[in-house]
Amino acid sequence: MGSHNLDSTTIPQQVSIEAFPYLRVYKDGTIERLAGTQIAPTGLDPQTGVVSKDVIIAPQTGVSARLYRPQLHIKLLPLVVYFHGGGFFISSTADPLYHNSLNQLAAEAKVIIVSVNYRLAPENPLPAAYDDCWEALSWVASHSSSGGGVQSPATEEPWLKNHVDFNRIFLAGDSAGANIAHHLICRISEQNPSRRLIKICGVASIQPYFWGKEAIGSEVHDLVRKSMVDRWWSVVCPSDKGNDDPLINPFAEGAPSLEGLETCPKILVVVAGKDILRDRGWLYYEKVAKMSSSLGWGGTIEIMETLEEDHVFHI
C-alpha cells in the first residue's frame, strides 16, 4: 500500500476507510493523508542557531530520527527523546510544525533532541510504532558507557557519543507520542533492575492520547468529537477490545501496571482546557498521583493546564 495525493474528484464509493479529517483508505489499498505531509529540511536554523540532521536507526524497517543540537557552550548536554503526535497515522519528524517547535525547544532548554520517526498506521498497525520507538531508545542507549545491555551501533552517532550526558535522559511526546512515552517507561520497568535499558530522569506527557470505552468529562456531551476519536483508534489498532485496549486505556484490564512508573522520578502532564482529551490527561494524573502516594513513591508528578487552548496548540 502506498500514500498518495489523489484528485479531489475521486468518487466516494471508492473509499473503504474514512478517518475524518486526516486520512482515507481506498478500496485499491491506496492511502491518502490529508494532513501532516509537509516536509521541512534539516540544517542550521537561523532563528535559534540549532543544527539538525536525519539519521537511519533501523535500515530493515526504515525507522529514522531527526537530531537537534543547540549551540554548544558546555561539552555534555541533557538528551530529550521526543515522540511526535498525529494519532499514530499522520505526521512525521519532518513536519514543519514539529521541526520548528523542536528547534525552539533545543535552543531554550539547551538540550540535544532525538525525534523518532516511527512507522505509521494503517500500513503498520500498532504495536509497530511502540516497537520502533523502543528500537530507537535502544539505539540511544547503545551510545552510553554502559551500552544499556545492547550491542553497539554499526556506526556511532558523534552527537550522542560526544555531547550527551547519559545521566540526564528525558522522554517527551505529545498526543500519540505521550502515549508511546508512557508505554516505554512501563516497558523499561519490566526489565531486571541491573540490566535496564536506560535510566530516565523524567517524562513530559503533553496532551496524552489516552481513551476508553466509557465516556468521561466532556466526552459525555461532545458526541461529535468523541465519535471522531473512536473512529481514529479503530483505524490504527484493529482490536476486539476497542477503546479499552490496553494500548489506549492505561487503566484497562491487561494494561501495564502503573507501579512501573516508579522507575521515572519526575512526570509532567500537560493538558489543554478545550481539548477532547483533557479529562483523560487529568484522570491519568490523578491515578498516578494516588498510586504514588499509596506506595510511598519518591518521585513527583505534576499537571499543568492551559485553559483556553486546544489539542497540541504548542506546535
Side-chain angles (χ1 to χ4, degrees):
M1 291 189 290
S3 177
H4 306 285
N5 291 324
L6 302 180
D7 189 279
S8 60
T9 59
T10 304
I11 58 174
Q13 287 80 357
Q14 291 182 315
V15 177
S16 62
I17 298 174
E18 179 89 37
F20 179 84
Y22 299 120
L23 176 140
R24 292 191 190 105
V25 180
Y26 292 83
K27 289 183 178 179
D28 66 359
T30 300
I31 295 174
E32 179 186 22
R33 289 188 165 85
L34 307 172
T37 59
Q38 292 181 303
I39 294 176
T42 58
L44 174 65
D45 177 48
Q47 300 299 318
T48 61
V50 172
V51 180
S52 59
K53 64 179 177 180
D54 291 331
V55 298
I56 297 294
I57 292 175
Q60 66 275 22
T61 58
V63 177
S64 64
R66 180 162 290 197
L67 276 57
Y68 297 83
R69 190 190 71 190
Q71 296 178 356
L72 295 170
H73 300 294
I74 57 176
K75 180 174 174 59
L76 298 180
L77 297 174
L79 175 70
V80 173
V81 183
Y82 196 93
F83 310 108
H84 71 80
F88 295 102
F89 57 63
I90 63 167
S91 199
S92 72
T93 55
D95 187 323
L97 295 174
Y98 284 106
H99 181 69
N100 293 335
S101 65
L102 292 183
N103 272 322
Q104 294 177 41
L105 177 61
E108 294 182 22
K110 296 179 176 57
V111 295
I112 289 175
I113 299 175
V114 172
S115 178
V116 182
N117 202 44
Y118 51 86
R119 289 172 293 172
L120 300 177
E123 304 98 310
N124 305 282
L126 296 182
Y130 301 99
D131 295 338
D132 292 348
C133 292
W134 180 259
E135 185 155 21
L137 198 57
S138 300
W139 175 78
V140 168
S142 71
H143 289 80
S144 69
S145 58
S146 65
V150 295
Q151 185 177 357
S152 298
T155 303
E156 288 186 341
E157 171 48 54
W159 287 10
L160 300 186
K161 194 69 177 177
N162 301 329
H163 300 298
V164 166
D165 180 353
F166 281 91
N167 291 313
R168 293 188 291 169
I169 307 294
F170 298 84
L171 303 186
D174 63 272
S175 195
N179 175 306
I180 291 172
H182 164 79
H183 282 279
L184 291 193
I185 288 292
C186 292
R187 188 165 173 178
I188 289 173
S189 75
E190 293 170 354
Q191 296 181 304
N192 186 309
S194 64
R195 296 187 57 81
R196 279 183 179 148
L197 179 68
I198 198 168
K199 177 185 176 183
I200 302 299
C201 292
V203 173
S205 182
I206 306 167
Q207 288 118 54
Y209 180 22
F210 297 130
W211 206 236
K213 183 177 180 180
E214 183 178 348
I216 65 172
S218 64
E219 301 163 17
V220 176
H221 308 291
D222 194 345
L223 300 181
V224 172
R225 287 202 295 176
K226 183 185 183 307
S227 66
M228 291 169 66
V229 181
D230 288 345
R231 180 57 176 158
W232 299 340
W233 181 247
S234 70
V235 170
V236 302
C237 184
S239 166
D240 59 0
K241 297 181 180 178
N243 291 337
D244 278 340
D245 188 286
L247 293 178
I248 195 66
N249 187 344
F251 316 118
E253 182 180 354
S257 171
L258 294 181
E259 293 182 16
L261 299 177
E262 285 189 281
T263 59
C264 181
K266 295 182 180 180
I267 300 174
L268 173 64
V269 181
V270 182
V271 296
K274 295 183 177 180
D275 185 4
I276 187 66
L277 300 181
R278 170 198 179 270
D279 298 294
R280 296 289 170 176
W282 269 102
L283 180 63
Y284 181 73
Y285 163 75
E286 291 164 354
K287 292 265 192 179
V288 175
K290 182 178 180 180
M291 176 274 300
S292 64
S293 177
S294 63
L295 294 177
W297 176 40
T300 60
I301 181 168
E302 299 178 8
I303 190 164
M304 170 184 169
E305 179 169 4
T306 308
L307 294 176
E308 296 303 318
E309 297 289 355
D310 209 331
H311 194 59
V312 296
F313 69 92
H314 67 290
I315 65 167

